[in-house]
Amino acid sequence: MRRRRTGTIAAVSALGMTAVLGGCGLTGDSDGVTLRLVAADYGDGKDNSSQKYWDDLAESYEAKNPDVHVDVTVYSWNDVDRKVRELVEAGKAPDLAQIGAYSDYADKDLLYAADDVLSIPVQADFVSQLAGAGQVNGVQYGLPFAASTRVLFYNKTLFDKAGLQPPKSWDDLADAAEALDEKGVKYPYALPLGAEEAQAETMQWMLSGGGGYTDDVGTYSLDSPQNVTTFTWLRDELVGKGLTGPVAPGRLDRADAFAAFANGDVGMLNGHPSLMKAASDKGVKYGMVTTPGAEGESTSTLGVSDWMTAFRKNGHQEEIGDFLDFVYSEENVLDFSREYDLLPVTTSASRTMSTAAEDRNLKPFLDELLLSELYPVGKTSWASVSADVKKRIGQAVAPGGSPKEVLGQLQATAMRAGSAE
């Protein structure tokens, strides 16, 4: 029977990432309990590496909890999910892993549920959309750790030169792209459907057209009429008219599109909070508006969350729970979010950030969070569906491509993968 924690918990800190994962499981000795955490790096260099964040948090926690030591190892996003998978397969699962997905581990009964480890106030504080996305069969296993949403970024200087106002609808966006093209802008609208993060741009456009990856009851619906209409419009009104730049959308990665925007070569693109700093550092004057939709501003946007997972392998249920309550305190959630220009995953921290002058640049993204929809990460099939989207979706908008055919192929793959769940 699941045991609900009700205490408010002693502090537990997040990790001291100087440790190696040698026997990575756990150590319990005369010095107390050691928790092992594997985490992803959100920094862009040594000065703001996530290792610094976790080291500071660990030191703070351990000062108050001398019987619990927390070791953390930080990997880049290119490696962290693979590293955790290798550890789990080798029988050396960490106590905690802050990674990109959780459903496979939950499906194999390897994780503690949120009820097992979090106090009631902490669990109740998660933003509802994020908490819901962390559930498998109605039980929450994925603990949201960091979030972001998408808005439309536009280059103010290029817009001023072309006499443009920010677009509100698809037609506005197409008209603006044509005007920017006439002014010689390299990428009037950057459409990154390359392998790096095509699933994000795809979902953003699906939502703006009234569709999505799944229907109202959670069944895959990639080839819905709304999605076919959306990608037909993209093919005919943007890509086919040469308004998406010199690199074919299927070969344009998100990082390259962001870099081009920061270099002043992009008129418009969908972006998340990290683009603000990249653009500002290069002196690009930008604006941000709600993503345009088929008939006006989109009523829904893409939300993305990364996940904290608690593995059952080594026990330490109480220590893990106390540590996580510390991690998810309002102060620590705000510190992490502000350090890396991400959105808080708790209601209390979101409320504070929405009124704080220092966070005003993030407010457009915060406003979108409550309207956001997340990937269907609770499906164990999502990883394979996402990989297939990355591989194929660029073909849907290529000259002569058939959105209906490509989306139909993606739907068939999704249904096969989903039938195994």
Side-chain angles (χ1 to χ4, degrees):
M1 183 176 182
R2 181 167 295 128
R3 181 177 58 79
R4 183 99 185 195
R5 293 181 65 250
T6 57
T8 42
I9 316 306
V12 146
S13 155
L15 316 77
M17 69 295 113
T18 49
V20 278
L21 280 185
C24 183
L26 79 305
T27 62
D29 51 34
S30 58
D31 295 327
V33 169
T34 294
L35 299 177
R36 308 288 187 186
L37 170 74
V38 178
D41 194 354
Y42 291 82
D44 55 14
K46 186 175 180 180
D47 289 344
N48 71 340
S49 166
S50 292
Q51 289 194 330
K52 289 184 63 176
Y53 171 83
W54 286 116
D55 268 346
D56 290 344
L57 200 58
E59 183 178 354
S60 176
Y61 165 69
E62 291 168 0
K64 300 176 182 178
N65 297 268
D67 293 333
V68 180
H69 179 63
V70 189
D71 282 343
V72 63
T73 301
V74 172
Y75 293 105
S76 75
W77 272 110
N78 292 330
D79 299 323
V80 66
D81 288 288
R82 174 177 56 83
K83 291 288 189 181
V84 171
R85 184 173 63 253
E86 290 172 351
L87 289 168
V88 172
E89 291 174 350
K92 299 179 179 179
D95 298 283
L96 293 157
Q98 186 267 299
I99 46 181
Y102 66 86
S103 58
D104 282 353
Y105 300 127
D107 186 59
K108 296 173 183 175
D109 197 29
L110 300 179
L111 302 179
Y112 285 119
D115 283 354
D116 295 328
V117 290
L118 294 179
S119 66
I120 292 174
V122 169
Q123 190 175 355
D125 198 25
F126 286 131
V127 173
S128 60
Q129 282 90 339
L130 305 181
Q135 295 181 359
V136 175
N137 296 324
V139 178
Q140 185 180 355
Y141 293 96
L143 313 181
F145 184 74
S148 69
T149 55
R150 301 293 195 271
V151 298
L152 184 78
F153 282 74
Y154 65 95
N155 184 309
K156 285 186 173 182
T157 302
L158 298 179
F159 264 59
D160 289 345
K161 289 180 179 178
L164 297 171
Q165 295 296 316
K168 293 184 177 181
S169 67
W170 287 357
D171 286 344
D172 292 344
L173 188 149
D175 290 344
E178 288 187 2
L180 292 165
D181 185 55
E182 290 172 1
K183 292 292 185 180
V185 175
K186 190 173 182 180
Y187 293 88
Y189 178 84
L191 183 65
L193 295 177
E196 179 193 1
E197 204 184 32
Q199 82 284 359
E201 185 75 8
T202 295
M203 184 167 174
Q204 186 76 351
W205 276 98
M206 285 178 170
L207 292 172
S208 72
Y213 284 121
T214 59
D215 60 21
D216 291 341
V217 294
T219 302
Y220 284 117
S221 58
L222 282 85
D223 62 347
S224 69
Q226 296 95 325
N227 292 341
V228 172
T229 297
T230 294
F231 280 85
T232 300
W233 186 90
L234 282 170
R235 181 197 64 186
D236 295 345
E237 301 300 325
L238 290 184
V239 182
K241 294 182 178 180
L243 301 178
T244 54
V247 179
R251 298 201 308 269
L252 181 64
D253 285 341
R254 187 263 305 164
D256 294 333
F258 278 22
F261 186 86
N263 287 332
D265 294 330
V266 175
M268 300 171 283
L269 85 171
N270 288 320
H272 55 63
S274 71
L275 185 55
M276 295 187 298
K277 183 177 187 299
S280 296
D281 286 349
K282 292 290 190 71
V284 171
K285 296 180 180 179
Y286 63 88
M288 300 181 295
V289 294
T290 299
T291 300
E295 303 297 335
E297 292 182 351
S298 179
T299 57
S300 185
T301 190
L302 169 65
V304 177
S305 179
D306 301 323
W307 304 97
M308 180 70 77
T309 55
F311 284 88
R312 300 161 58 92
K313 171 73 174 177
N314 307 314
H316 299 158
Q317 181 178 352
E318 285 294 330
E319 292 83 1
I320 288 171
D322 287 356
F323 169 71
L324 288 174
D325 275 13
F326 181 76
V327 169
Y328 285 108
S329 70
E330 180 179 341
E331 178 184 359
N332 288 329
V333 170
L334 283 171
D335 284 348
F336 182 85
S337 301
R338 286 165 172 164
E339 177 66 27
Y340 299 108
D341 284 333
L342 292 165
L343 303 183
V345 296
T346 62
T347 300
S348 58
S350 296
R351 188 181 302 117
T352 297
M353 184 174 277
S354 67
T355 58
E358 66 182 290
D359 300 313
R360 61 184 178 276
N361 288 341
L362 284 170
K363 193 170 189 310
F365 300 94
L366 274 172
D367 292 342
E368 295 289 332
L369 187 58
L370 295 179
L371 303 173
S372 67
E373 293 189 28
L374 280 76
Y375 303 128
V377 290
K379 293 178 174 290
T380 56
S381 57
W382 169 241
S384 62
V385 172
S386 176
D388 202 32
V389 169
K390 293 177 182 181
K391 179 180 178 181
R392 297 175 185 262
I393 195 63
Q395 301 167 15
V397 299
S402 170
K404 185 174 182 179
E405 180 179 340
V406 172
L407 291 169
Q409 293 168 347
L410 290 169
Q411 175 69 10
T413 299
M415 293 303 290
R416 285 195 299 271
S419 66
E421 293 180 307

